[in-house]
Amino acid sequence: MTPHQLLIILRARWLVVFVTFVLVAASTAAVSLLSDKQYTATASVVLDVKPDPVSGTMGGMVATGYLATQVDIIKSDRVAKRVVSNLRMDSNLSVQSQWREATGGRGQLIDWLAGLLKGNLDVKPSRESNVINIEYVGADPDFAAAVANAFAKAYVDVNLELRVDPARQYAGFFDEQTKAARSRLETAQKALSDFQQANGITSNDERVDYETAKLNETSSQLTSIQAATTDSRSKRARADGNTVAEVMQSPLINGLKSDIARLEAKLIESGVNLGKNHPQTQRAESELAALKSQLESETRQITSSINTTYEVNRQREGQLQAALAAQKSRVLLLNQQRDEIRVLRGDIESAQRVFDSVSLRASQSSLESQTSQTNIAVLNPAVAPMFPSGPRVKLNIAIAMFLGGLLGVMLALSLEFTNRRVRSMDDLHELRDVILLGAISPAGGMMKPATGGRA
């Protein structure tokens, strides 16, 4: 359909368009003028973005959707029921009568009133700030303001409860965990104390160092004794005692050997000069025999002392070996005790860390459960509006005029297509079996009126 055809149809059916336009506009104007006036009261709340003094988290600057969550909380049944309770609407006799008439006494009065309040509630969060506007529409401006303020107050109270109630539950839970952690810590400390008392341990590290040093000293002594015993054994095994170093290095023996050598030389000389039976020769032989006897005696004493030293060294070696074995056992036992103490101290440190962590969380939960502050505050309380917010007569009439005109055009087109008529050459062009031979223009303007009569 061309714009020319549309204009022709509207001109032909202008009466339908006009009547429809007038009826819609007049009806809307009448309804708007006769409707009760509505008043909109607005209360504004602001969400603080400063860190929480207890938990350290940000109050408003949190994950995406925080404002949407707060809007849902304001629109929740819990907040609406709190408003009903705060305004004591459920105790009004007339309200109770209306509830019985509307529901027949089914359900709960507070739920019915909460639903009615939510129907006239509108919550609008700001796009670029943390301010939320709570709007309530009512026929009475004072009542609308009271309900808007009641919603703001109930929202703040419910928000505080949503923070405090879980914190109270957490506080009770962490109190029990703190008691259990303290009990485990005390058990670990008692186990360490009992172990130290049972083994007589005061400072295990210093004791281990002392016993280790004693072990090293005993081992060094045993090595020295074993070397001395080996040396004594080798000296004792020699058949000729004169080759022993102690004998060869003895000044007394060396002196005796020198005297014997001198007497022997003198004896030979005396035997040659004086003869064997001479008294001087015999005295020399007697002195020589005495010196040799003394030399043998001294040599036997040194050899005997070597045997004695060997036996003493063997006994000492056995004692040191037994002492070394006992000292090794003592050091091994101390090392085992030190390992046990390390395990027990590790248990204490682990239990201490758990106790500190749980105790800190319990203290934090306890503070959160006792807080009476929230990050939400009423920015602007609602006041009774002086002018109604609805109905908007001018706007409604303007919209009705537009819709009435549009409806009239649509109705005219519907009637036209229901009873199609040929109103222009364009309509004939749409018929395939019709051949256009010509067109006759309207006669208006072609006939000129007579200017005078006949003569």
Side-chain angles (χ1 to χ4, degrees):
M1 179 181 294
T2 62
H4 180 66
Q5 290 177 302
L6 179 60
L7 291 176
I8 293 176
I9 293 173
L10 294 178
R11 186 176 63 182
R13 298 186 180 275
W14 67 270
L15 184 59
V16 175
V17 176
F18 177 74
V19 171
T20 304
F21 173 80
V22 172
L23 288 177
V24 172
S27 300
T28 302
V31 171
S32 299
L33 293 174
L34 295 177
S35 298
D36 296 333
K37 294 181 179 180
Q38 299 292 328
Y39 295 88
T40 302
T42 304
S44 300
V45 294
V46 61
L47 283 67
D48 195 3
V49 298
K50 294 187 296 184
D52 187 89
V54 175
S55 62
T57 57
M58 301 301 290
M61 297 176 62
V62 289
T64 304
Y66 178 76
L67 288 179
T69 302
Q70 302 307 309
V71 170
D72 292 338
I73 293 176
I74 298 174
K75 293 181 177 180
S76 65
D77 293 337
R78 183 172 179 175
V79 174
K81 292 178 181 179
R82 178 66 63 86
V83 172
V84 173
S85 299
N86 291 341
L87 296 178
R88 298 181 180 179
M89 297 175 62
D90 52 347
S91 61
N92 191 306
L93 297 179
S94 61
V95 172
Q96 294 176 2
S97 176
Q98 294 176 6
W99 166 66
R100 293 189 185 92
E101 293 178 359
T103 63
R106 295 186 300 272
Q108 298 294 327
L109 174 60
I110 190 172
D111 295 332
W112 181 72
L113 290 174
L116 292 180
L117 293 178
K118 288 167 57 179
N120 294 329
L121 179 69
D122 189 14
V123 182
K124 298 179 179 180
S126 299
R127 294 183 178 180
E128 299 180 357
S129 67
N130 293 328
V131 176
I132 299 178
N133 296 317
I134 303 175
E135 298 181 354
Y136 186 80
V137 180
D140 185 2
D142 295 328
F143 178 75
V147 173
N149 288 328
F151 265 100
K153 184 179 183 303
Y155 165 59
V156 174
D157 295 340
V158 169
N159 186 274
L160 180 60
E161 291 177 358
L162 293 176
R163 293 182 57 193
V164 172
D165 291 346
R168 289 175 179 172
Q169 297 176 2
Y170 292 152
F173 170 76
F174 282 113
D175 283 342
E176 296 296 329
Q177 296 299 316
T178 300
K179 294 179 181 178
R182 182 185 292 108
S183 176
R184 290 192 293 268
L185 177 60
E186 292 175 352
T187 301
Q189 290 175 341
K190 187 176 185 302
L192 176 59
S193 178
D194 293 343
F195 182 80
Q196 289 178 333
Q197 290 179 2
N199 295 276
I201 300 174
T202 55
S203 179
N204 190 67
D205 292 336
E206 294 180 359
R207 186 177 179 186
V208 170
D209 294 340
Y210 170 75
E211 296 295 341
T212 302
K214 188 175 180 181
L215 175 64
N216 295 333
E217 182 181 357
T218 304
S219 177
S220 177
Q221 292 178 1
L222 178 61
T223 303
S224 300
I225 289 298
Q226 287 176 342
T229 303
T230 303
D231 183 63
S232 301
R233 184 185 298 114
S234 64
K235 291 178 181 180
R236 183 170 174 269
R238 294 180 182 179
D240 187 5
N242 293 323
T243 60
V244 178
E246 284 79 359
V247 176
M248 297 178 64
Q249 296 174 0
S250 174
L252 178 59
I253 291 179
N254 289 332
L256 291 174
K257 287 181 178 180
S258 297
D259 293 340
I260 290 172
R262 186 175 64 256
L263 284 176
E264 287 178 347
K266 185 178 180 180
L267 182 61
I268 293 172
E269 181 181 358
S270 177
V272 173
N273 296 328
L274 299 178
K276 295 182 179 179
N277 295 322
H278 191 275
Q280 186 176 354
T281 302
Q282 291 179 355
R283 187 172 56 251
E285 289 178 352
S286 176
E287 291 178 0
L288 180 60
L291 288 174
K292 287 183 178 180
S293 176
Q294 186 178 359
L295 177 62
E296 290 178 358
S297 176
E298 293 295 334
T299 302
R300 283 196 302 271
Q301 288 181 1
I302 293 175
T303 304
S304 177
S305 67
I306 291 175
N307 293 332
T308 302
T309 302
Y310 170 72
E311 294 297 333
V312 171
N313 288 340
R314 283 188 58 189
Q315 293 179 2
R316 181 60 178 164
E317 181 181 352
Q319 294 174 354
L320 288 176
Q321 286 179 346
L324 181 63
Q327 190 65 22
K328 285 183 178 179
S329 300
R330 188 177 297 107
V331 171
L332 291 176
L333 178 61
L334 289 177
N335 288 332
Q336 183 179 1
Q337 292 176 353
R338 181 172 61 182
D339 294 338
E340 290 289 339
I341 289 176
R342 286 178 179 175
V343 172
L344 294 175
R345 287 178 177 173
D347 294 341
I348 292 176
E349 292 175 358
S350 177
Q352 185 68 48
R353 287 193 298 268
V354 173
F355 173 74
D356 293 340
S357 177
V358 174
S359 178
L360 178 62
R361 190 65 182 90
S363 299
Q364 180 178 346
S365 299
S366 178
L367 289 176
E368 291 179 354
S369 65
Q370 297 175 8
T371 183
S372 60
Q373 302 296 325
T374 180
N375 64 321
I376 301 171
V378 177
L379 180 63
N380 295 317
V383 295
M386 299 179 61
F387 302 100
S389 59
R392 300 180 180 180
V393 179
K394 295 182 179 179
L395 179 61
N396 292 343
I397 292 176
I399 295 174
M401 292 175 65
F402 171 76
L403 294 178
L406 181 61
L407 182 61
V409 171
M410 294 176 64
L411 183 59
L413 292 176
S414 299
L415 293 175
E416 181 67 21
F417 285 114
T418 302
N419 186 14
R420 194 74 170 93
R421 295 184 181 185
V422 177
R423 300 184 184 278
S424 64
M425 289 185 295
D426 295 332
D427 296 335
L428 292 175
H429 284 304
E430 295 178 358
L431 300 176
R432 298 180 180 180
D433 298 334
V434 176
I435 299 175
L436 180 62
L437 298 179
I440 300 175
S441 300
M446 296 183 63
M447 300 296 292
K448 296 182 179 181
T451 56
R454 284 185 180 182

